[in-house]
Amino acid sequence: MEADDVLDSAPTADTAARVREVIAAAGVSQREFARRVVMDPSKLSRSLSGTRRFTAAELARIADEGRVDAGWLLGTRTREVATAPAVTVEGGRPLQIVRETVRLIAEHGFHAVRVADIARACATSSAAIHYHFPGRAELLEAAVRWCMDEDTARRAALLAEADDAAAELRQLIALQTPRTEQQRRQWAVWLDLWAEAARSTAVGRLHSEYYRQWRETVADVVRRGVRQGVFRAEIDPRAAALTLSALIDGLATHVLSVSGPASAAAADAMHAALTAHVDHTILAE
């Protein structure tokens, strides 16, 4: 059993039913609600079905997002005493914490960031941070998950704008080239993720899942390109996705190693190298 699967004392069915009420009132899908409370969608699904119980921190984030009292979710208070959070921040307190954690990790590295630093950035207390995310490991996992969700959303938006698979692949390359401050920040977090993935089972699973999704996205684009006749018929979509991923990771690491004006030149060189690779090995002649 995972550490975050520790059972609370509330009846699973009653708590799950109340969480379902909160999700229904939010008017969004279960997956979108999981994103808003920075929770693994599969864990939310299992908790709602009764095969695991919500942790106290998860219920705190759900209560914050749903503007209800955590005691009501646990069944220890009536719905009437539920109140909105005392402090209103964009996206809710949990997302504010995660966004500031991502920024601080990108600037200083995960192991250099203290909970007190995150609390200061959020203009709140360390106790408030621990209320939503009890430990550093959970904060890192939440930060990584948020980056994954943001990347997936941007990826979907870009692909929707492309005219064909060749344009889609170029959009994906542009998305992974660290030019903007946001892109560089996300890549800096990925660098910490790679190191932590070697030590943490939970983060390692996130790492594996992100790259599985990314490679499958690239492979799907290549398959469409073959069907459209814009990519070579003999290309192996999975092999092409693996090779392109490896090139992106290696080149992005180099870009992140330089700063100032040199970083822009390195990003341009990275984009040119990736585009040349696609033109020479994937595009139909």
Side-chain angles (χ1 to χ4, degrees), residues 154-168:
R154 287 195 299 273
R155 190 188 310 162
L158 283 173
L159 293 185
E161 297 174 356
D163 295 327
D164 60 19
E168 289 179 0

Side-chain angles (χ1 to χ4, degrees), residues 158-222:
L158 283 173
L159 293 185
E161 297 174 356
D163 295 327
D164 60 19
E168 289 179 0
L169 198 54
R170 292 190 182 95
Q171 293 278 35
L172 290 177
I173 288 173
L175 179 66
Q176 296 300 319
T177 304
R179 296 183 185 276
T180 68
E181 181 181 352
Q182 182 180 18
Q183 287 172 320
R184 289 181 65 88
R185 180 181 301 148
Q186 182 165 320
W187 268 107
V189 174
W190 291 141
L191 294 183
D192 265 29
L193 168 63
W194 290 340
E196 288 300 312
R199 307 182 185 98
S200 166
T201 301
V203 175
R205 281 196 299 270
L206 273 178
H207 180 272
S208 298
E209 175 60 16
Y210 171 78
Y211 276 98
R212 184 196 65 77
Q213 291 178 7
W214 162 253
R215 287 193 294 268
E216 195 55 42
T217 295
V218 176
D220 285 344
V221 171
V222 174

Side-chain angles (χ1 to χ4, degrees), residues 21-22 26 48 59 142 221 251:
E21 284 187 41
V22 172
L48 290 174
L59 289 174
V221 171
L251 290 168

